[in-house]
Amino acid sequence: IALFAYLNHRTRKPYLSLWTVAWMFYSVYLAASLSLQETADVPLLAFARRTCIGICGLFLFWGSLQRTNQRRSLRELGGAVGLITLWNYVAVVLVHDRFWCALPMFVLLAAAGVYSALPFLRNRRRSRGGTILGVGFLLWSLHLLAVPFLGNSLPAIAGAHVTLSVLALLITVGVVMEEERTVSEHHYRTLF
C-alpha cells in the first residue's frame, strides 16, 4: 500500500489511485482473514470480508480501465460497489453455503487481475517491469481462483494467504519498475 501510495503521489496517475484503494481493501481482507480465523462463520464478519474482496476487484478493474484509456464514470463504480455490497449481504443472510458465497467474489477478483495483466503481457518486450507486472497479475489471478476450494483447512488457508501476499509484492515491484521506466522516458524526452 505504501509503495502504491508513494507512486500515486509522485506520478499523479488516476489508475494508481484506484489500484492503491484496491490494495487497501485487499489488505483489510487479508488481515481480517488471518486474525479472525476462529470467528469466520460470524455473519457480519463474513459479510465484511467478502465485501472487501469484491470491492478490491472492482477498484482493480476500474484502475485497469483507466490505464488502458477506457474511461468509466465514478458513478458507475459507486453503483458496482453498491451491487457487490448488496450481493454479499444477501449471500451471507440467505445463502449459508460458504463456497457459493465466496466463489463470485474470487472470480471477479481473478477476472480483474487477468484484465490488468493483459496490457502488460502484450507489451512485454518494452520493459522488464511490465513483464513482471503482467506475470504477477496473471499468477495472482490463477491462485485466487483456487482460494474458495480450500475449505476450512487452516494450513492450506495460511499457505494461500502467504502465496497471495508474495504475489502482491511481486506485482508491486513490477509497478515500481514500470513507473520508473515511464518517468525515465519522460525525463529523457523533456531533456531532448
Side-chain angles (χ1 to χ4, degrees), residues 25-26 39 108 120 128 143 172 183 192:
F25 276 102
Y26 185 70
T39 59
L108 172 70
F120 295 108
R128 286 189 191 132
H143 187 71
T172 306
V183 168
F192 185 74

Side-chain angles (χ1 to χ4, degrees), residues 14 17-18 59 62-63 66 71-81:
S17 299
L18 292 167
F59 273 85
W62 242 258
Q66 288 275 346
R71 307 274 185 220
R72 306 300 296 183
S73 75
L74 291 178
R75 193 174 298 157
E76 291 174 322
L77 177 60
V81 167

Side-chain angles (χ1 to χ4, degrees), residues 31-42 45 49 152 154 157:
S33 295
L34 292 174
S35 62
L36 303 172
Q37 195 64 41
E38 318 69 57
T39 59
D41 292 333
V42 175
L45 296 175
R49 284 180 40 229
N152 291 327
L154 191 58
I157 292 171

Side-chain angles (χ1 to χ4, degrees), residues 29-155:
Y29 163 77
L30 277 180
S33 295
L34 292 174
S35 62
L36 303 172
Q37 195 64 41
E38 318 69 57
T39 59
D41 292 333
V42 175
L44 183 61
L45 296 175
F47 164 73
R49 284 180 40 229
R50 291 185 187 122
T51 302
C52 280
I53 201 73
I55 292 173
C56 172
L58 286 174
F59 273 85
L60 187 63
F61 181 67
W62 242 258
S64 300
L65 288 174
Q66 288 275 346
R67 189 178 185 291
T68 57
N69 294 322
Q70 300 177 37
R71 307 274 185 220
R72 306 300 296 183
S73 75
L74 291 178
R75 193 174 298 157
E76 291 174 322
L77 177 60
V81 167
L83 285 174
I84 289 290
T85 305
L86 181 64
W87 160 260
N88 282 314
Y89 180 76
V90 169
V92 167
V93 171
L94 299 178
V95 181
H96 300 291
D97 187 2
R98 181 175 176 247
F99 174 79
W100 292 110
C101 294
L103 188 63
M105 294 301 102
F106 283 96
V107 168
L108 172 70
L109 195 58
V114 168
Y115 187 79
S116 301
L118 291 178
F120 295 108
L121 293 175
R122 283 188 196 119
N123 298 324
R124 64 185 172 273
R125 292 188 179 133
R126 289 183 61 201
S127 74
R128 286 189 191 132
T131 303
I132 291 171
L133 189 54
V135 168
F137 266 129
L138 199 59
L139 291 174
W140 185 67
S141 300
L142 293 174
H143 187 71
L144 281 169
L145 287 176
V147 170
F149 297 96
L150 293 176
N152 291 327
S153 168
L154 191 58

